[in-house]
């Protein structure tokens, strides 16, 4: 990209620099720049830059006119971005005020809904009270019925009394009683209808009131949901605008760096082109000088001829013509003498004639040669004049090219000085300034619930597809995080080696930097960069920037991953050697040397002595590996220090996983604390299990038949690995099977050897089976058995 821009730039620029258009006054540029800085600073709650107007004016006056015009364009863009940032900030404040008003309205609506709910509860209470009143009326009706029965009994008594002689006296009383009974019976018959009507009336009123309150509640609920949705959309829009502003700021910074780099490349390319043209012209001048020298030699020869035969070639021609005329006259005389004299005289005359003819032929040859030399001399004189003219033109052109080259060198030096930004490590120094506010983090779920939460988050981490990794794979992966800072993911294409690393980072809010490994890598400079002594600048590659970012105040509590894609295209034991060695020492000694001496100035604050970078504990290196004819096998030095995970091919997803509703950023310190607690909880049990394995038949078979034993490194890795697998819901069998398969039963150890037979592998198989039964580990060591069976089949095929 940079080269093509440089080429276009060269084609459009004349070979001899021309004066640039008049730039605006320096003071105007300075005022615009200071105004933009003062405008942007309050938006981020930072003081305005303490820029001196005199210093900035002096700096701008020193810029060439062409660069000042380009700088003016940058100031205009910067000023426009400042105005847009302020407008976006004002709009954000306006939306924030509107959002606050909406929230207040939402609170008021919620309060109104609460009051209406209280009113509904009060109406329901009244309904229950009236129901109790109806119950009491029903009890009174029962009492009336009892009174009626009592009255009938009294009537029967009175009838008996009448029959006993008081008939007349009792008849009047009986009539009164019958009337009372009729009244009571009518009241009795009317009361159930009135009670039912009253009850129905109250029920209808209660239903209507309940329906009204429910409808009102639903209406308010829908309104509140709509307002909450609108508010959420507004918040999302505001966040997007903020993100857009931040991205635009990043783009501006990136473009600024790209412009500086492109300018440097263009200037360097133009300088190279002009140097090539100058060299070409110098060669042409040298060739013309040789031609001039040759022509000078020829001219000297012509001058010598002229000195011998005379200065005038025309005179020689005239003498030749005169000799021809004399020859003709002599011929005529010979003819006359032949006719008049004797034979002897004729013979003498013929002799004289022949002598004269030879003289004439010699004179003709000399004339012909002189004519050729004259023609060559004239051509040489013309070429010499042209060469002299060309020499003068080329000398002038050389002088102009020299001044242009000197100007270009000055411009390149200025651009290089501007690109240095006053520091050997520009990107790391920028992080010192930008990454000062700590990113909020939250505690990771407890390990017993962590895998389920992580499985759901990974499933929806990548847009457009659902990733599914089994709980067993994630349990081993979490144990690997506690065990080693170097992971190697193996498997056929499509098993999700890269996706597991990137989706894990996206799921927990970790930073992931993907670094494609190249086949030609040989040392650490290919991975982290190198120092350019000419530019006095360190070319900071992505790995170096990731290591430094992880140590900044902003991101030291986050997890960071450097993903080495296709890490075995080259040999990790070469380009990753210093990292492998650093992982073996204590954390306070894990440093990678960047330079042999401390830079003169501008060293980033987190570099030790300005030249050593720490290998931070919150950084994991995850490498993906394929095994084919284009890749290299891992050496034991790499394999023994890494957590190796063979990813199986994915089957169809049958389990439904709910999408998480919120994003998270796990705290590195909290996760490490949980790993330490798990180790303390299970350390004694793991050591006991290791002691049992050490005394088992399997250990003896591996030692006697294969020359393999348990090292201290493997025991320490088991003590860090197995407790986390257990706390994440895994089993001892799962953890032990994985460690044995990746350490002992890999190619070159137990399997893949040509000095062993199938019987040797069967003895190991039997010893492993006995270990599983005696240790009551449950299940079978499936990974180890698969490796043994695969190698037995290889031996049977004669591979």
């Amino acid at each position: 990209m940079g080269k093509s821009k440089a080429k276009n730039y060269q084609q459009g620029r004349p070979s001899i620099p021309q004066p640039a258009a008049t730039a605006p006054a320096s003071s105007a540029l300075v005022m615009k720049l200071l105004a933009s800085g003062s405008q942007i600073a309050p938006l981020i709650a930072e003081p305005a830059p303490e820029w001196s107007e005199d210093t900035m004016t002096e700096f701008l006056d020193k810029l060439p006119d062409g660069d000042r015009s380009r700088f003016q364009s940058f100031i205009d863009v910067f000023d426009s971005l400042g105005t847009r940032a302020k407008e976006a900030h004002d709009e954000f404040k306006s939306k924030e005020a509107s959002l606050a008003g909406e929230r207040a309205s939402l609170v008021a609506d919620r309060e109104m809904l609460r009051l209406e709910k209280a009113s509904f509860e009060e109406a329901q209470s009244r309904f229950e009270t009236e129901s109790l009143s109806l119950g009491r009326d029903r009890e009174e009706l029962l009492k009336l019925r009892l009174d009626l029965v009592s009255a009938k009994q009294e009537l029967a008594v009175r009838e008996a009394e009448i029959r006993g002689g008081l008939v007349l006296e009792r008849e009047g009383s009986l009539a009164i009683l019958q009337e009372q009974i009729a009244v009571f019976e009518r009241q009795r018959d009317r009361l159930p209808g009135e009670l039912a009507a009253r009850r129905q009336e109250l029920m209808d009123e209660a239903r209507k009131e309940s329906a009204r309150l429910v409808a009102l509640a639903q209406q308010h609920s829908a309104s509140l949901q709509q307002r909450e949705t609108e508010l959420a959309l507004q918040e999302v829009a505001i966040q997007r605008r903020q993100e857009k502003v931040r991205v635009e700021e990043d783009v501006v910074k990136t473009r600024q760096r790209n412009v500086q780099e492109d300018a440097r490349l263009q200037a360097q390319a133009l300088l190279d082109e002009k140097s090539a043209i100058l060299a070409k012209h110098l060669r042409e001048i040298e060739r013309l000088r040789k031609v001039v020298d040759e022509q000078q030699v020829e001219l000297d020869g012509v001058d010598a001829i002229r000195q011998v035969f005379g200065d005038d070639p025309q005179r020689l021609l005239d003498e030749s013509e005169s000799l021809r005329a004399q020859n003709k006259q002599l011929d005529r005389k010979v003819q006359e003498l032949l006719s008049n004299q004797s034979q002897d005289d004729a013979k003498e005359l013929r002799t004289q004639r022949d002598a004269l003819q030879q003289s004439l032929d010699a004179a003709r040859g000399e004339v012909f040669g002189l004519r050729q030399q004259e023609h060559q001399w004239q051509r040489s004189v013309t070429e010499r004049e042209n060469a002299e003219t060309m020499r003068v033109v080329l000398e002038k052109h050389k002088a102009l090219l020299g001044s242009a080259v000197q100007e270009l060198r000055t411009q390149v030096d200025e651009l290089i000085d501007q690109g240095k930004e006053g520091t050997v490590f520009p990107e790391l120094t920028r992080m010192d300034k930008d990454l000062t506010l700590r990113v909020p983090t939250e505690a990771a779920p407890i390990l017993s619930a962590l895998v389920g939460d992580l499985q759901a988050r990974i499933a929806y981490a990548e847009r457009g597809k659902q990733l599914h990794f089994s709980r067993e794979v994630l349990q081993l992966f979490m144990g690997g995080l506690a065990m080693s800072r170097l992971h190697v993911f193996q498997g056929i294409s499509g098993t999700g080696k890269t996706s597991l690393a990137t989706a894990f980072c996206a799921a927990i809010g970790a930073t992931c930097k993907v670094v494609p490994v190249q086949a030609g890598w040989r040392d650490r400079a290919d991975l982290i960069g190198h120092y350019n002594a000419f530019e006095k600048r360190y070319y900071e590659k992505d790995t170096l920037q990731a290591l430094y970012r992880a140590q900044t105040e902003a991101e030291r509590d986050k997890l960071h991953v450097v993903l080495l894609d296709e890490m075995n295209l080259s040999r990790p034991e070469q380009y990753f050697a210093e990292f492998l060695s650093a992982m073996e020492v204590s954390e306070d000694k894990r440093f990678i040397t960047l330079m042999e001496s401390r830079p003169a100035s501008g060293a980033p604050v987190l570099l030790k002595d300005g030249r050593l970078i720490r290998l931070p504990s919150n950084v994991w290196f995850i490498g993906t590996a394929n095994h084919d004819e284009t890749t290299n096998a891992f050496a034991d030095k790499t394999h023994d220090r890494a957590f190796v995970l063979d990813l199986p091919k994915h089957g169809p997803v049958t389990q439904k996983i709910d999408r998480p509703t919120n994003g998270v950023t796990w705290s590195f310190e909290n996760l490490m604390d949980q790993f330490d607690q798990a180790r303390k909880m299970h350390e004694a049990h793991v050591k006991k299990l290791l002691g049992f394995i050490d005394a088992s038949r399997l250990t003896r078979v591996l030692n006697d038949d294969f020359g393999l034993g348990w090292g201290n490194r493997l025991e320490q890795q088991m003590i860090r690995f197995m407790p986390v697998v257990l706390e994440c819901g895994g089993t001892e069998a799962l953890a032990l099977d994985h460690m044995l398969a990746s350490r002992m039963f890999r190619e070159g150890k137990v399997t893949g050897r040509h000095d062993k037979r199938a019987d040797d592998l069967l003895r190991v198989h039997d010893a492993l089976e006995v270990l599983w039964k005696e240790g009551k580990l449950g299940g079978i060591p499936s990974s180890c058995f698969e490796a043994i069976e695969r190698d037995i089949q290889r031996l049977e095929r004669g591979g």
Side-chain angles (χ1 to χ4, degrees):
M1 178 179 176
K3 293 183 178 179
S4 63
K5 288 183 178 179
K7 184 176 181 180
N8 295 334
Y9 179 79
Q10 295 162 9
Q11 292 175 353
R13 182 166 180 166
S15 59
I16 301 177
Q18 301 295 329
T22 303
S26 300
S27 59
L29 289 177
V30 171
M31 295 304 295
K32 182 178 290 188
L33 180 61
L34 294 178
S36 299
S38 302
Q39 187 179 34
I40 295 176
L43 303 183
I44 57 175
E46 293 288 340
E50 296 181 357
W51 292 342
S52 171
E53 182 176 352
D54 295 337
T55 303
M56 292 297 296
T57 303
E58 183 180 358
F59 167 73
L60 291 175
D61 290 340
K62 291 181 179 179
L63 289 176
D65 292 340
D67 291 341
R68 191 181 305 169
S69 299
R70 291 196 297 272
F71 190 72
Q72 178 193 5
S73 301
F74 167 75
I75 292 300
D76 293 338
V77 174
F78 182 76
D79 182 58
S80 174
L81 289 176
T83 303
R84 291 170 60 190
K86 187 174 185 307
E87 292 175 355
H89 182 268
D90 295 341
E91 184 178 1
F92 169 73
K93 290 295 185 182
S94 175
K95 293 295 184 181
E96 187 177 24
S98 175
L99 181 62
E102 293 291 341
R103 286 177 175 168
S105 175
L106 180 61
V107 171
D109 291 340
R110 287 178 176 172
E111 183 64 22
M112 184 181 299
L113 182 61
R114 187 186 64 80
L115 294 176
E116 291 177 353
K117 182 179 179 181
S119 175
F120 172 72
E121 291 177 349
E122 183 179 358
Q124 187 176 8
S125 178
R126 288 200 309 270
F127 173 72
E128 292 176 353
T129 303
E130 291 180 357
S131 297
L132 293 175
S133 177
L134 288 174
R136 288 194 295 271
D137 292 342
R138 190 180 294 109
E139 291 177 356
E140 291 179 359
L141 179 59
L142 292 176
K143 290 180 180 179
L144 290 175
R145 287 179 178 176
L146 292 175
D147 291 341
L148 180 59
V149 172
S150 300
K152 287 182 178 180
Q153 290 177 352
E154 291 179 359
L155 180 59
V157 172
R158 289 177 180 177
E159 286 178 351
E161 290 177 352
I162 291 172
R163 289 173 184 168
L166 298 175
V167 176
L168 294 176
E169 184 179 353
R170 299 285 183 180
E171 284 181 355
S173 299
L174 179 58
I176 295 172
L177 287 174
Q178 288 177 346
E179 290 177 359
Q180 293 177 350
I181 289 171
V183 172
F184 286 137
E185 287 179 349
R186 285 194 296 274
Q187 291 179 353
R188 181 197 66 187
D189 296 336
R190 189 173 63 253
L191 280 175
E194 292 178 353
L195 289 174
R198 180 58 178 169
R199 182 179 180 183
Q200 185 64 35
E201 183 180 352
L202 291 175
M203 290 295 292
D204 292 340
E205 291 179 358
R207 288 193 186 96
K208 291 179 181 180
E209 184 67 16
S210 176
R212 187 182 69 81
L213 291 175
V214 169
L216 185 60
Q218 291 177 347
Q219 182 179 358
H220 280 286
S221 177
S223 176
L224 291 175
Q225 290 179 354
Q226 184 177 1
R227 290 183 181 179
E228 289 179 349
T229 302
E230 293 175 355
L231 291 175
L233 292 174
Q234 291 176 358
E235 289 179 350
V236 170
I238 292 172
Q239 291 175 357
R240 287 180 177 174
R241 288 172 183 169
Q242 291 176 337
E243 182 67 18
K244 184 178 179 181
V245 171
R246 186 186 65 78
V247 170
E248 289 178 352
E249 292 176 353
D250 293 340
V251 168
V252 169
K253 293 178 181 178
T254 303
R255 285 178 178 173
Q256 182 180 3
R257 291 194 298 270
N258 291 340
V259 166
Q260 294 174 349
E261 182 66 16
D262 290 344
R264 185 187 68 78
L265 293 175
Q266 291 170 359
Q268 184 64 38
L270 186 58
L271 177 60
D272 295 340
E273 182 184 10
K274 296 301 181 183
S275 298
I277 294 174
L278 178 59
K280 180 179 180 181
H281 287 311
L282 291 175
R283 290 193 298 270
E284 183 66 19
I285 289 172
E286 186 64 26
R287 187 186 67 81
L288 292 175
R289 283 177 180 172
K290 292 181 179 179
V291 172
V292 169
D293 293 339
E294 292 175 357
Q295 292 174 352
Q296 185 64 44
V297 172
E298 293 177 356
L299 287 175
D300 294 340
V302 172
D303 290 339
I305 294 173
R306 291 173 63 185
Q307 291 177 0
V308 173
F309 296 100
D311 293 338
D312 190 4
Q314 187 63 38
R315 183 180 62 79
L316 296 176
L317 294 175
D318 293 339
E319 291 180 354
S320 176
E321 292 297 331
S322 176
L323 289 174
R324 287 193 188 94
Q326 291 178 4
N327 188 24
K328 290 180 180 179
Q329 291 177 359
L330 291 174
D331 287 338
R332 286 195 297 272
K333 289 180 179 180
V334 168
Q335 295 296 331
E336 291 175 356
L337 289 173
L338 288 175
S339 61
N340 298 324
Q341 295 181 0
S342 62
Q343 186 68 27
D344 294 333
D345 293 337
K347 184 177 181 180
E348 183 179 357
L349 288 174
R350 281 196 295 271
T351 303
Q352 293 178 356
R353 185 197 64 183
D354 293 338
L356 290 173
Q357 184 67 37
Q358 291 177 357
S359 299
L360 179 61
D361 293 339
R364 286 176 178 175
E366 291 177 357
V367 169
F368 180 76
L370 288 173
R371 284 179 177 176
Q372 287 183 336
Q373 289 180 356
E374 179 188 15
H375 178 71
Q376 187 176 4
W377 176 75
Q378 291 176 350
R379 186 176 60 187
S380 299
V381 169
T382 303
E383 289 180 355
R384 184 174 180 182
E385 291 175 352
N386 293 335
E388 184 66 21
T389 304
M390 180 63 70
R391 184 182 64 81
V392 173
V393 172
L394 289 177
E395 286 181 351
K396 292 182 179 180
H397 197 188
K398 178 183 177 182
L400 292 174
L401 285 175
S403 61
V405 168
Q406 185 62 35
E407 182 180 353
L408 284 174
R409 285 177 178 170
T410 303
Q411 294 177 358
V412 169
D413 292 339
E414 291 177 354
L415 290 172
I416 290 174
D417 292 338
Q418 293 176 4
K420 290 177 184 176
E421 301 180 359
T423 176
V424 177
F425 299 91
E427 285 301 318
L428 306 190
T429 304
R430 182 187 62 79
M431 293 184 195
D432 288 337
K433 299 177 182 178
D434 296 345
L435 302 180
T436 57
L437 297 179
R438 175 164 292 198
V439 175
T441 57
E442 57 190 88
I446 59 175
L447 295 181
S448 59
L450 184 144
V451 169
D453 180 77
L454 181 62
Q455 187 181 37
R457 294 187 181 281
I458 287 179
Y460 297 97
E462 296 188 5
R463 182 177 299 178
K465 63 178 180 179
Q466 183 173 335
L467 302 173
H468 180 75
F469 294 95
S470 66
R471 297 180 67 89
E472 290 77 11
V473 168
L474 296 181
Q475 289 161 358
L476 294 174
F477 176 52
M478 294 307 300
L481 291 178
M483 171 186 135
S484 174
R485 291 301 187 270
L486 174 60
H487 287 204
V488 176
F489 291 167
Q490 301 180 143
I492 62 176
S493 179
T495 54
K497 299 185 292 296
T498 302
S499 296
L500 176 56
T502 57
F504 168 73
C505 293
I508 68 167
T511 300
C512 181
K513 178 61 68 177
V514 180
V515 178
V517 175
Q518 304 298 321
W521 283 13
R522 291 295 178 266
D523 55 32
R524 62 100 187 272
D526 297 316
L527 184 61
I528 61 176
H530 66 280
Y531 177 67
N532 188 311
F534 173 72
E535 297 184 11
K536 293 183 172 54
R537 172 187 172 189
Y538 200 98
Y539 280 85
E540 309 137 295
K541 290 199 172 182
D542 289 341
T543 303
L544 177 61
Q545 296 183 37
L547 294 177
Y548 195 84
R549 176 181 290 272
Q551 304 177 56
T552 60
E553 179 64 27
E555 301 196 10
R556 66 177 53 182
D557 196 34
K558 289 177 57 178
L559 279 74
H560 294 257
V561 170
V562 176
L563 179 59
L564 302 175
D565 195 24
E566 300 287 351
M567 73 175 301
N568 61 336
L569 279 178
S570 185
R571 294 190 178 277
E573 298 77 28
Q574 295 178 353
Y575 69 84
F576 204 66
E578 289 190 54
F579 292 86
L580 293 175
S581 300
M583 290 178 183
E584 291 293 290
V585 300
S586 58
E587 186 174 346
D588 58 340
K589 298 180 181 178
R590 294 178 186 170
F591 288 97
I592 304 296
T593 302
L594 302 180
M595 302 172 59
E596 296 303 324
S597 60
R598 181 185 180 94
S601 62
V605 297
L606 296 178
L607 292 185
K608 183 180 179 182
D609 297 332
R611 64 188 188 89
L612 303 175
I613 187 167
R614 182 186 300 276
L615 191 58
S617 57
N618 61 336
V619 173
W620 280 264
F621 291 91
I622 298 180
T624 63
N626 291 326
H627 295 289
D628 52 38
E629 66 278 0
T630 65
T631 59
N632 300 280
F634 290 107
D636 289 344
K637 180 179 180 181
T638 302
H639 220 296
D640 293 343
R641 288 166 174 78
F643 167 73
V644 182
L645 182 61
D646 288 302
L647 293 176
K649 185 177 180 180
H650 294 296
V653 179
T654 59
Q655 178 184 3
K656 185 180 184 302
I657 301 177
D658 296 330
R659 181 188 294 271
T661 58
N662 62 323
V664 295
T665 301
W666 283 4
S667 167
F668 163 74
E669 294 181 357
N670 173 263
L671 187 62
M672 293 301 102
D673 289 341
Q674 293 198 54
F675 287 169
D676 291 339
Q677 293 173 9
R679 180 179 56 80
K680 293 176 182 178
M681 186 183 306
H682 298 278
E683 184 174 3
H685 177 69
V686 174
K687 287 184 176 179
K688 182 179 178 181
L689 178 60
L690 290 175
F692 171 74
I693 297 172
D694 192 51
S696 67
R697 176 188 168 192
L698 175 65
T699 302
R700 293 193 299 273
V701 172
L702 292 177
N703 186 34
D704 296 341
D705 296 349
F706 292 86
L708 301 175
W710 307 97
N712 291 330
R713 180 187 291 116
L714 181 57
E715 292 182 358
Q716 291 300 319
Q717 290 175 348
M718 280 290 292
I719 291 174
R720 294 193 298 268
F721 173 71
M722 184 175 286
V724 175
V725 175
L726 296 177
E727 281 298 303
C728 289
T731 62
E732 296 174 347
L734 175 66
L736 184 59
D737 181 34
H738 177 80
M739 289 299 290
L740 289 176
S742 60
R743 286 291 186 270
M744 294 296 178
F745 291 85
R746 63 182 178 86
E747 293 287 329
K749 293 291 187 178
V750 172
T751 63
R753 295 173 58 163
H754 297 280
D755 59 339
K756 299 300 175 184
R757 299 178 301 176
D759 293 342
D760 299 322
L761 295 174
L762 290 175
R763 281 197 298 274
V764 176
H765 186 283
D766 295 340
L768 189 60
E769 190 173 14
V770 170
L771 172 66
W772 236 251
K773 290 180 180 179
E774 292 180 351
K776 299 179 181 179
L777 296 175
I780 61 172
S782 56
S783 298
C784 296
F785 282 176
E786 288 177 3
I788 293 174
E789 292 170 359
R790 187 167 53 249
D791 204 48
I792 290 175
Q793 293 176 0
R794 176 186 65 84
L795 293 174
E796 291 176 349
R797 291 194 303 267

